[in-house]
Amino acid sequence: MGIIGAGKHTVAEHGVRGLYRGLSCLLVFSIPKTGIRFGSKEFYDANIFTTKSRTNTFLAGACAGATEALLVVTPMETLKVKLIHDRLLPNPRFKGLIDGIKTIYAESGFNGVYKGPGPTVLRQSSNQAIRFLVYGEVKDKLD
């Protein structure tokens, strides 16, 4: 089944709204994630990696990635996986994003929404280090 077939199947099973299932989780977490990424990059540039260089751009980007991973991405990924898994059950427990967050937190506390920070920090750090380095290099070439 290709992308068109998957889209048709989703609409047949869940209606047009089915195409947007899971969007609330993305929207709730993407805005803070992006704000923390760029805000922390500015902080690291201004306070730690103050000399402009490729190495410092890379390191500030890595630190920004680690910051976003610890503050937003890890809980987002944990909740996303738990919510998707719940949807696949014959009788889902959660009514939606907010109900899922409340239930998971009530049952498992902080650890229920904060699993696997190590791999997430490594992924986000490397992603943002490369992203900011490439962006800076391209921007310098275009200026």
Side-chain angles (χ1 to χ4, degrees):
M1 174 185 310
I3 192 166
I4 302 297
K8 287 179 180 178
H9 176 74
T10 299
V11 171
E13 289 285 318
H14 305 286
V16 174
R17 287 182 56 158
L19 296 171
Y20 299 96
R21 288 173 82 176
L23 183 62
S24 58
C25 188
L26 178 67
L27 292 176
V28 165
F29 288 106
S30 286
I31 294 167
K33 177 177 76 169
T34 302
I36 287 170
R37 175 188 306 152
F38 288 100
S40 62
K41 169 69 165 61
E42 290 296 317
F43 172 83
Y44 295 123
D45 282 340
N47 295 291
I48 298 172
F49 305 105
T50 55
T51 306
K52 185 171 169 57
S53 72
R54 293 169 110 184
T55 301
N56 283 350
T57 298
F58 183 87
L59 292 172
C63 289
T67 303
E68 76 177 2
L70 291 171
L71 297 179
V72 180
V73 179
T74 297
M76 175 187 74
E77 293 287 330
T78 303
L79 288 168
K80 181 178 75 172
V81 167
K82 288 183 178 193
L83 292 169
I84 290 170
H85 178 70
D86 182 69
R87 287 279 184 175
L88 299 175
L89 297 174
N91 297 313
R93 298 178 338 143
F94 311 131
K95 296 177 191 128
L97 175 65
I98 302 302
D99 181 57
I101 293 170
K102 286 180 183 177
T103 304
I104 292 166
Y105 193 80
E107 290 175 355
S108 306
F110 181 75
N111 289 332
V113 295
Y114 207 83
K115 297 278 186 194
T120 305
V121 167
L122 291 173
R123 183 188 71 214
Q124 292 305 115
S125 293
S126 60
N127 285 349
Q128 300 319 316
I130 294 167
R131 173 177 283 160
F132 282 112
L133 179 63
V134 169
Y135 172 79
E137 291 296 310
V138 170
K139 184 175 178 281
D140 287 347
K141 298 287 186 225
L142 294 175
D143 285 344

